[in-house]
Amino acid sequence: MEYSGTITKRYVKFVLFSLLVIVTSCQRDKEITRLLNSNKPGEIIQGTYEAGMSGDKKYVPLLLKDADNPAVSTALHFKGFSVYTEKMYALERILHVKPPHPYNGILVIPDSVNIKFYNNYWRSINKR
């Protein structure tokens, strides 16, 4: 009888832990989505960074939206990085494909070739 009580306690702990992970994951997803849809460059860059670190392809459409945004963050953590630069970095990280032109560096002007490249690449992998 004691043995089944131990199994029940473990099961309950497992279920509670699983629910906690699911709730936390959903909140993180909502926060990243909120940041990516923000009008503030610092928030967009933070959301872009987090989306890139997650590696989740569900953020690609939001990353492609306004990818040519040259706005720069004044937040200390992302100072000098533009929305464009961070979005290119996140897209490369998520899609595992480098764009044709370099995009890294501080105050890089958005490159329409890179943006078109990722738009076309995203469309091509979603045709399948």
Side-chain angles (χ1 to χ4, degrees):
M1 188 79 167
E2 188 177 320
Y3 182 72
S4 67
T6 303
I7 292 174
T8 305
K9 287 180 185 177
R10 285 183 182 168
Y11 179 74
V12 169
K13 285 181 182 180
F14 175 75
V15 169
L16 289 175
F17 178 75
S18 298
L19 286 173
L20 179 65
V21 168
I22 291 169
V23 168
T24 304
S25 176
C26 289
Q27 288 175 343
R28 183 171 176 257
D29 178 50
K30 286 180 183 177
E31 180 63 8
I32 292 172
T33 301
R34 183 191 71 76
L35 291 168
L36 289 172
N37 285 314
S38 175
N39 292 325
K40 298 177 182 175
E43 289 184 357
I44 298 168
I45 291 171
Q46 181 182 354
T48 300
Y49 174 79
E50 291 179 21
M53 294 306 286
S54 77
D56 197 332
K57 290 182 180 181
K58 70 182 167 191
Y59 297 117
V60 171
L62 289 172
L63 292 169
L64 290 171
K65 180 181 134 191
D66 297 326
D68 62 344
N69 186 342
V72 178
S73 175
T74 57
L76 188 58
H77 188 68
F78 299 109
K79 189 155 182 98
F81 290 101
S82 68
V83 171
Y84 163 77
T85 301
E86 279 299 315
K87 285 190 174 192
M88 292 299 108
Y89 175 77
L91 288 165
E92 180 181 336
R93 188 170 176 97
I94 292 170
L95 298 174
H96 307 288
V97 176
K98 286 186 181 258
H101 297 155
Y103 61 85
N104 50 355
I106 296 177
L107 302 175
V108 173
I109 297 170
D111 187 340
S112 63
V113 172
N114 288 348
I115 296 166
K116 287 177 186 174
F117 170 80
Y118 278 123
N119 272 305
N120 291 336
Y121 183 79
W122 181 245
R123 278 191 222 118
S124 72
I125 64 172
N126 284 307
K127 284 184 179 178
R128 299 177 206 167

